[in-house]
Amino acid sequence: MKNFRLFGEWLLLFGATIVLVLTAWQQEWTHRIDYSLLDFASQYRMAEPSDEIVIVEIDDRALSEIGNWPWDRARHAELIDQLSTYGPKLTVVDILFVDPTQPESDAQLSRSVAEAGNVILAHAFARPLGASNDPVPVFPIPELANAAQDVGHVSVGADSDGVVRRFALEFEASGQQYDHLTKVAALSADAETVELPQDTAEPIVPMHPYGSFVSYSAGDVVAGQASREFLSGKIVLIGSTAQGLGDRYTVADHAGRIMSGVEMQANLLSAILQNELIADLDDWIVGAALVAAIALLFLTFWQFPPVWGLRLSLALIAALVALSTALVVSGHWMPVFPAILGVVVAYPLWGWRRLSAVSRFLEVEAQALMPRAGKEVADGSSGFDTVARQVSLMRNLIGATRERLAFLRKTLSASPDPMMVFDAEDRAILMNEQAMVMFGEESDWSGLTLFQLLAENRAQFDTKMEEITSADGREFLVASSEVEIDEQIKIITMRDITKIRESEQQRREMLEFLSHDMRSPQAAIVGLVGAAGKNLPEQERMERIESQARRTLKLTDDFVQIARLEYEGIEPIETDIGALLHEATDRAYPLAKRKHIKLETSLPMEPVFCMVEAYSLSRAIDNLIGNALKFSSKGETVKVALKGGENSAPVIEVVDEGPGLPPERVSNPFARFGARTKGAGPSAGLGLAYVKKVVDEHEAEIRVRTKSDGGTSFEIILNCEQMISD
């Protein structure tokens, strides 16, 4: 619910910013600064002014030399006649001749225009009184219009800031289309190479500074004092530049702020000839770009830390300005300051929202931690304003919590038992080294519940006994407790009780041993001494008593030897394993001969040395050979061998042809006080248990193979550096 509310706030602010940006664009709230960027960037769009264009100015000097304005049309005829003698390529007259004057003067001007043959005249538009609001064209008087090569309109419209930047190359009025004077001139001068923009009828013209074009006073032309070199083959624009004639307009600051109409026409014509016009991008492209910029900003707000929001806001503003400049240089125009306005407004609003959320969070968390931290921690907070005081208080509370966590970590680290910390959702958040030995590194257990950890590590949990049995057989007693830092955090301790369980098992086995195995021969002796033995011959009775006594001594000795290994371990020395087997077979020979069993040995001629404890290993070998003889029948063979095994390690092998291990002992032949068989007399199972203990103490390996049709093989693979050779 909290995340949904935050997303709703984000979405609401995003939508409001988009509306603000699109409204600012449509209503031109940022038009002045957008146009300032356009004027600045358009300077890098321009090349040098076209050298094909020359301006003939009706300036103050021309008025003083030829006469006050308005001139008689005979004077205009004289100017055109004299200009024609210089051989211009085209004469473009930016003066309106829409009303008739003296018939003789009008006729003279018409003749001069017709004789020149390359004159293009200007016309305007007007809104008739009492008629519709649609403008209508106002052409030169018919005889002049017929004499001219062509006519074109000279209407001028300023942008919303009052600056003239655009010209309508094609103006539609009363359902008809009228071309601009400079478009007509450009097509007349060089129709094959001129490329007019197709995507806009009102392109933006980059303005050269005032005085950039070659110009002559009309007085010099009439007097024949102009240079033929600069006028011959040129496009000559005639227009008024004198003070007070009204043909002046506001242009960009870099162009001089005020410019005459004829010089503006020269800039437009130069831009057409040199393909320097700037076209507005389509509205859908501009809108999509503005929305994309704001979307990028809000994605950063959503996914990145606050510092990235500030960085991207500044980078986005710079990128938008650079993009707009680059587009102008390439011939396109897109206003970007509506998006910049959105960035400027959205960033502080989002920052305020984040600050409010942080303040609420600090307040809630401080109230939650306050009861555990103590009044002295709260009293130690200070700050300039509310947020600063909340931050100071939270810093103190976190410091106090950190100290408790550090104490908790030290406690966990000092514990010899595995300890784990779980959060309110019972997921692991902390472990000591002993626990990580069981469950792996943090990436393996972080965020998992106790039951998930146990399942992944193949451990069993007895919830009734609150005990865990690991995959390797160790047993742990589980205890849990809550932490002072947060009552929702729990610590689980796993006390290793494997030794305790083994000791309990040994005590149970010992009781069984004392109550059954040790008691049985003693009871037999008592019986033989008493009335039960009186019916037996004396010799037989004494032999039975001796047999039971020896059995008691054997059991006692086996038990004592196992206990000695458990508590004292072994002290290995360098020993010849072959010699140990020779001695063992010598000790077993009398019993084998008495039972008519063949004892066969296969021992190497060279000594095989290994670090072992001779006494315990000899006793283990005696037990294996003794068992083999005990369970073998007359005429069978017991084999004792020392050979190279896997990795050429010494392998002691004892093989018999007896009945094999009973089914009840196959699963665990080395169990202490294990299953018994009466096939060869009573047994407590201590002999093989002793063998396994000796093998384990020597870090060796023992293998047992038994066949259902008879025969058992025991192999002891020793862990020695000295290996036997083939």
Side-chain angles (χ1 to χ4, degrees):
M1 179 62 74
K2 181 179 179 181
N3 289 335
F4 181 78
R5 180 177 60 82
L6 293 176
F7 177 74
E9 293 180 1
W10 177 89
L11 195 61
L12 179 62
L13 184 56
F14 173 64
T17 306
I18 292 296
V19 171
L20 171 67
V21 168
L22 296 180
T23 303
W25 169 45
Q26 292 295 326
Q27 298 298 322
E28 295 189 347
W29 290 351
T30 61
H31 67 281
R32 289 189 178 275
I33 190 168
D34 276 313
Y35 287 145
S36 296
L37 178 60
L38 170 62
D39 294 338
F40 169 79
S42 64
Q43 300 177 66
Y44 300 97
R45 171 71 177 166
M46 298 183 297
E48 293 295 324
S50 175
D51 57 3
E52 296 184 45
I53 300 173
V54 177
I55 298 176
V56 173
E57 301 177 324
I58 302 177
D59 55 3
D60 292 332
R61 187 160 64 89
L63 294 179
S64 64
E65 293 176 357
I66 298 176
N68 293 330
W69 193 263
W71 286 349
D72 187 276
R73 287 181 180 169
R75 299 296 184 187
H76 290 286
E78 184 179 357
L79 175 60
I80 291 176
D81 290 339
Q82 190 62 37
L83 182 61
S84 297
T85 63
Y86 291 99
K89 185 177 187 178
L90 196 66
T91 300
V92 182
V93 182
D94 184 19
I95 300 172
L96 295 175
F97 300 108
V98 296
D99 295 320
T101 60
Q102 297 289 336
E104 299 81 3
S105 298
D106 291 342
Q108 184 178 350
L109 179 57
S110 298
R111 285 193 300 272
S112 297
V113 169
E115 290 174 358
N118 63 351
V119 177
I120 298 176
L121 298 178
H123 75 86
F125 293 96
R127 297 182 185 276
L129 294 176
S132 66
N133 291 328
D134 293 335
V136 296
V138 180
F139 292 106
I141 59 176
E143 54 188 310
L144 275 177
N146 294 331
Q149 177 178 323
D150 208 338
V151 294
H153 77 82
V154 290
S155 62
V156 176
D159 284 327
S160 56
D161 60 347
V163 177
V164 176
R165 299 182 184 87
R166 308 168 190 273
F167 293 87
L169 296 183
E170 299 170 358
F171 191 93
E172 186 173 339
S174 301
Q176 294 187 9
Q177 181 176 293
Y178 300 92
D179 290 337
H180 196 275
L181 179 69
T182 52
K183 176 183 177 181
V184 174
L187 293 175
S188 299
D190 197 354
E192 294 183 358
T193 60
V194 169
E195 295 183 6
L196 294 172
Q198 301 297 321
D199 53 352
T200 179
E202 294 189 9
I204 300 168
V205 179
M207 294 288 184
H208 292 277
Y210 173 80
S212 297
F213 292 91
V214 176
S215 62
Y216 286 98
S217 173
D220 291 336
V221 174
V222 171
Q225 297 177 354
S227 172
R228 180 175 299 275
E229 177 184 357
F230 289 103
L231 292 174
S232 177
K234 307 293 183 172
I235 301 174
V236 179
L237 278 73
I238 301 174
S240 62
T241 61
Q243 296 287 340
L245 295 186
D247 193 22
R248 292 179 176 274
Y249 302 92
T250 303
V251 293
D253 290 347
H254 72 271
R257 294 192 178 183
I258 301 297
M259 186 174 289
S260 63
V262 68
E263 190 162 6
M264 287 171 47
Q265 307 294 352
N267 275 280
L268 174 57
L269 181 58
S270 177
I272 293 175
L273 295 177
Q274 299 186 131
N275 194 27
E276 294 175 351
L277 295 176
I278 301 170
D280 291 284
L281 286 176
D282 292 340
D283 286 350
W284 73 268
I285 297 178
V286 176
L290 297 178
V291 171
I294 299 303
L296 178 61
L297 177 68
F298 273 81
L299 284 175
T300 304
F301 288 163
W302 186 8
Q303 295 294 332
F304 291 91
V307 66
W308 281 99
L310 176 60
R311 292 172 182 172
L312 183 67
S313 297
L314 297 176
L316 192 57
I317 292 173
L320 287 170
V321 172
L323 175 63
S324 180
T325 303
L327 285 173
V328 171
V329 174
S330 66
H332 297 86
W333 163 238
M334 180 181 75
V336 295
F337 276 91
I340 294 176
L341 174 64
V343 173
V344 172
V345 172
Y347 179 77
L349 286 177
W350 183 253
W352 166 80
R353 195 214 68 81
R354 275 184 166 171
L355 184 61
S356 299
V358 169
S359 179
R360 290 195 302 269
F361 170 79
L362 292 175
E363 184 69 25
V364 172
E365 292 300 315
Q367 293 298 326
L369 293 174
M370 194 81 71
R372 306 184 191 96
K375 187 175 183 300
E376 65 279 0
V377 175
D379 293 340
S381 61
S382 61
F384 175 75
D385 58 6
T386 300
V387 175
R389 288 190 292 272
Q390 289 175 333
V391 170
S392 176
L393 175 58
M394 183 57 65
R395 184 186 298 113
N396 294 341
L397 293 171
I398 291 174
T401 303
R402 187 181 294 115
E403 291 177 359
R404 289 170 169 79
L405 284 174
F407 174 76
L408 177 59
R409 289 179 182 273
K410 290 180 180 179
T411 302
L412 294 179
S413 178
S415 173
D417 299 315
M419 296 184 70
M420 299 168 286
V421 180
F422 292 85
D423 61 15
E425 297 179 354
D426 292 330
R427 300 187 180 277
I429 58 175
L430 190 62
M431 286 189 185
N432 64 0
E433 293 183 4
Q434 289 73 14
M436 284 191 282
V437 170
M438 293 183 60
F439 301 113
E441 297 298 325
E442 184 173 357
S443 58
D444 299 328
W445 53 259
S446 180
L448 299 180
T449 65
L450 177 60
F451 290 99
Q452 289 173 332
L453 288 172
L454 296 176
E456 288 194 1
N457 290 272
R458 301 190 304 277
Q460 303 295 326
F461 188 15
D462 187 340
T463 55
K464 182 177 180 181
M465 300 294 295
E466 293 190 346
E467 292 182 1
I468 293 174
T469 303
S470 64
D472 58 6
R474 291 181 296 165
E475 297 186 21
F476 298 89
L477 181 64
V478 178
S480 64
S481 62
E482 295 178 348
V483 186
E484 180 186 355
I485 299 173
D486 193 332
E487 62 272 8
Q488 293 183 324
I489 292 180
K490 294 181 180 179
I491 296 181
I492 290 182
T493 304
M494 299 171 56
R495 177 65 54 85
D496 191 343
I497 58 173
T498 305
K499 295 295 184 181
I500 297 175
R501 291 291 182 261
E502 289 178 354
S503 297
E504 291 176 353
Q505 180 64 21
Q506 290 174 8
R507 283 195 296 270
R508 286 193 296 269
E509 291 173 349
M510 184 182 297
L511 289 174
E512 182 182 356
F513 170 67
L514 293 174
S515 63
H516 183 274
D517 294 287
M518 290 293 289
R519 182 180 179 184
S520 178
Q522 298 299 320
I525 292 173
V526 172
L528 289 170
V529 172
K534 291 181 179 181
N535 297 325
L536 295 175
E538 187 66 19
Q539 181 66 28
E540 182 182 353
R541 187 162 68 106
M542 294 305 296
E543 287 177 356
R544 289 190 179 186
I545 291 174
E546 180 184 4
S547 174
Q548 295 297 332
R550 288 184 182 278
R551 180 186 174 197
T552 301
L553 290 174
K554 178 68 168 60
L555 290 173
T556 304
D557 188 47
D558 286 344
F559 186 81
V560 170
Q561 292 302 324
I562 292 177
R564 182 187 72 82
L565 287 175
E566 289 180 346
Y567 292 102
E568 295 181 5
I570 62 172
E571 296 181 4
I573 60 174
E574 192 174 48
T575 304
D576 180 7
I577 305 302
L580 291 182
L581 290 175
H582 272 295
E583 294 171 1
T585 54
D586 288 345
R587 288 190 294 270
Y589 182 74
L591 177 61
K593 184 177 181 181
R594 188 167 56 248
K595 295 189 65 174
H596 302 285
I597 296 172
K598 184 179 180 181
L599 190 59
E600 185 179 295
T601 60
S602 177
L603 305 175
M605 298 298 294
E606 298 295 329
V608 178
F609 291 101
C610 189
M611 295 296 293
V612 298
E613 185 183 73
Y615 173 77
S616 59
L617 185 58
S618 294
R619 188 179 181 89
I621 295 171
D622 288 343
N623 285 353
L624 290 178
I625 297 175
N627 279 349
L629 293 174
K630 182 190 299 184
F631 293 99
S632 296
S633 301
K634 180 180 179 180
E636 293 180 343
T637 302
V638 173
K639 298 178 181 179
V640 179
L642 177 61
K643 59 183 181 180
E646 294 181 5
N647 302 321
S648 298
V651 178
I652 300 171
E653 185 178 56
V654 178
V655 182
D656 64 53
E657 298 175 349
L661 292 174
E664 62 268 22
R665 295 212 62 176
V666 170
S667 61
N668 189 3
F670 305 108
R672 188 185 302 184
F673 314 117
R676 297 154 174 82
T677 178
K678 297 180 180 179
S683 170
L686 292 178
L688 290 181
Y690 178 81
V691 173
K692 184 64 167 66
K693 186 62 178 177
V694 171
V695 170
D696 291 343
E697 291 293 330
H698 282 84
E699 297 182 357
E701 180 183 357
I702 186 168
R703 296 174 182 172
V704 183
R705 296 184 181 91
T706 186
K707 300 179 181 178
S708 59
D709 57 351
T712 303
S713 170
F714 287 86
E715 290 181 350
I716 298 176
I717 299 96
L718 296 174
N719 183 14
C720 303
E721 295 181 357
Q722 177 67 35
M723 304 299 179
I724 63 174
S725 59
D726 295 335

